[in-house]
Amino acid sequence: MTVTGPAYTKPSHALMYNYYLGGKSWSGVDAQAAIEVVRSSPDVPAVARENFRFAGRAAAWAVKHHGIRQVLDIGVGIVHDIPDDGVERCVRAVAPQAMVLGYDIDPVVLAHARAWRPGYGGVLRGDIRDLDSIFNHRDAADLIDPTAPTVVVAAAVFHFVSKPAAVMAELRERLAPGSVVIVSHATSTGTEQSRVDGMTESYDETRSPIRFRSEAEIRALADGWDIVTPPGLAPVESWSVDGTYQRGPYETVRVVGMAARAGAERVA
Ligand SMILES: C[S@@+](CC[C@H](N)C(=O)[O-])C[C@H]1O[C@@H](n2cnc3c(N)ncnc32)[C@H](O)[C@@H]1O
């Protein structure tokens, strides 16, 4: 099936990610940019795969462990042609009746979702910087209960956002107690600065610059939340609550992840 979307001359990070994961949805300009990133940091495809697996594993854990039945996957990306199971499949494996909604800002991602996943709970246009576009989306109103705990997945999306702490604080206010947010983020901690600079420069040429943050900055995104510990904030390739998942380690690029739970008290 050919999916037509807007024609872009600059690479899309969503399609570069699809390239890293072994998908087939990218164009030449995306592949060229992705190859340049891999040249500075050869671990990128392996870490991208581990990030993808982390998102599914952590969401499934939260749903199963806390009995949550609604999941919002914000910045869902293109998943239909990826060899591994994404968030939706991982969640349905433990909770077949769960409502799973995907959101993305990229029109090409939405075009792929419409073409390939008509049976999916839904992939809607939503911008994580504007939570009204997510929570007040007219197609989501009847599907999501705002008074019930929710799992929000924000995997590999905050490094494309300038003020992620404000988004996390607003999520904390909006979500019901007991909700869980799954976050992963590229970090500058533990990687040579020259590699971080190389990747940052490559992404400057795309439609969405990337911002690496230190582990301390990423941990601070969960201020007002309870970070699930163990494992706390951990490399995506070794994040698991029971300590049984262990791959890597990777050094030429590092992505760390965490699950953070909203306690009974809402943040004022
Ligand atoms: C690197 S991909 C990650 C895909 C998936 N979450 C994962 O971790 O496997 C980042 C995705 O976030 C989307 N995205 C970027 N900025 C966004 C925003 N402000 N709101 C919603 N989605 C966004 C991109 O279009 C892309 O599909």
Side-chain angles (χ1 to χ4, degrees), residues 43-75:
D43 291 328
V44 164
V47 172
R49 277 194 297 276
E50 289 303 335
N51 174 70
F52 189 76
R53 292 172 185 150
F54 157 79
R57 189 167 70 251
W61 170 83
V63 161
K64 188 172 177 194
H65 187 77
H66 293 293
I68 299 174
R69 290 294 173 264
Q70 46 189 17
V71 178
L72 308 181
D73 186 0
I74 309 178

Side-chain angles (χ1 to χ4, degrees), residues 13-14 17 51-52 75-77 104-106 109 126-129 155-157:
H13 72 257
Y17 185 69
N51 174 70
F52 189 76
V76 59
D104 210 284
I105 196 177
D106 188 324
V109 172
D127 183 340
I128 201 166
R129 298 164 301 181
V157 61

